[in-house]
Amino acid sequence: MAGLDIVPLTEDRIMLRSFSSTIVLSGQFVARSLPLLLPCLDGNHDLDDLKAFVDPDYHPELDALLRQLEEKGFLTTGRREATSPIRNGREQAYWAVQTASTADVARRLAKASVIVAGLGGVGATVATALAAAGVGQLTLVDPCIVAEMDVGFGFGTNEVGEARAVALAARLGDSAVRAEGLNIGIDAVSDWSALVAGAGHVVLCSDTMALAGHDRTNAACLAARTPWLSVRADRGSALIGPYVIPGESACFTCFELRNRINSDHPADHEAMTAHWKSIAPTAEPWPALGAFTAAVGQMVALDLIHVIGGARLSAALGRVIHLSPAVFNARHHEVLKLPRCPACSRLRERPMTRIWDIVASPSVDSPALAASE
C-alpha cells in the first residue's frame, strides 16, 4: 500500500488514510494482528503468505479486511513489479497512487520523445524537469549563447559562452535520457517538419511574448498529428496554451484569429501579433525573476508528465491559462475550433459561402408547402 498514513487512535483502533480515502478499523484483530500484517501488504506477498502472519482464528477477519481495503482503493491485487524503471522512490510511490501500474508509466516516459524549443528560464526548467521524470528522448532547440543574465535561469556560471541547447543537452543526457541540442532557431531548421513528425510532443517556450516559430510549428504539427503546446512568460504573468491535439482541438491559428476578431482594435492587435512573430528570442535583459520562470516551467512540465504518463489530459487542452504566480491566480480562456480555420479546418480549401447563397428549406407552415398539399 503506497502513500498511506497509519494513525493509532486507541489501543484497538487505528485510522488508515490514503490520498483519496480514510478508514477506521477497530477490534481485537486490529490490536493483535494488524501491526504484523501491514508491513506485508507491499505487493510481494500473496494470500497464503499473509495468513501465515495471522492466527488461524482471525482468517475470516483477514479476508474481510482485504476486501474492504481493496474496495476503498487502499491496495490492488497482484504482485508488484520486482523493479521499477522510475529511479526516484518518491516518484514510484506517487505513480502508485495515481495509476494502476508504475511500470506502465515508466515505459511511457522512457519511450516518449519531446522537443523543447526556446531555452530561457521557462524552457530550460521544462527540459530539466522532463529529464528528471524519465522522459527518454529530448530534442532541445535554441539559437542563443548562455549569457551572464542566464545564470540562475536554468544555467550555471560554468556554461556562460556555450550554446544554450548544447550545454543543456550535455548536462541532461545520461544512460536513461537521450538529449540532443540544436543551436538554431525554429524558422532556420531545414528539417523542422521531419523533426516534429518524429516527436511525441512539442513545447515552444519563451520568457517574452515572442511568437517566433509558432506558425511553422502549428503547420508542421497539424500535418504530422503531433500534439504541441505554447508557453509564454511576460514579466509577471504567463500564457500557457493552447495544448493542441491535431484533428481534435482548436489549433493555434484558431486561437490567434479568435483573439483578433474579439479585439477592440483588430488592426492594432494584428500589428502586435506580426511584431511578436518577427522578433527573435531576446538577447537583451528582459524583466523576469528566476523563481517566476522556474514556477511556470515546473507547472508546464508537471502537466506534460501527467499527459505522457497517461494519468490525464492536459490542463491546457483547448484553452489558454493566464497565470499570475505573484498572486497565485489563474484564469482560463476556452479556445473553440474556428469552423473555417485556414490552418486546421477540413473545409479550408472550399470557397467561403455568402449568406445570400444559402436557401432555407421550406417549413411545414410555408404557404407554398400548404398550397401543394
Side-chain angles (χ1 to χ4, degrees), residues 1-4 6 16 37-43 69 74-76 80 96-97:
M1 295 188 295
L4 180 68
I6 304 171
L16 303 182
L37 181 65
L38 286 175
C40 301
L41 299 178
D42 58 358
L69 292 178
F74 281 90
L75 66 106
T76 57
R80 186 177 62 188
V97 297

Side-chain angles (χ1 to χ4, degrees), residues 114-159:
V114 180
I115 296 174
V116 181
L119 301 175
V122 174
T125 301
V126 170
T128 302
L130 293 179
V135 170
Q137 175 68 52
L138 290 172
T139 302
L140 310 179
V141 182
D142 186 277
C144 297
I145 303 299
V146 179
E148 291 288 347
M149 68 177 183
D150 293 318
V151 175
F153 285 77
F155 297 92
T157 54
N158 61 313
E159 294 170 319

Side-chain angles (χ1 to χ4, degrees), residues 56-72:
D57 292 340
Y58 287 122
H59 284 181
E61 285 84 353
L62 172 61
D63 292 335
L65 171 67
L66 294 178
R67 285 195 301 271
Q68 190 173 11
L69 292 178
E70 188 173 358
E71 290 172 0
K72 289 287 188 178

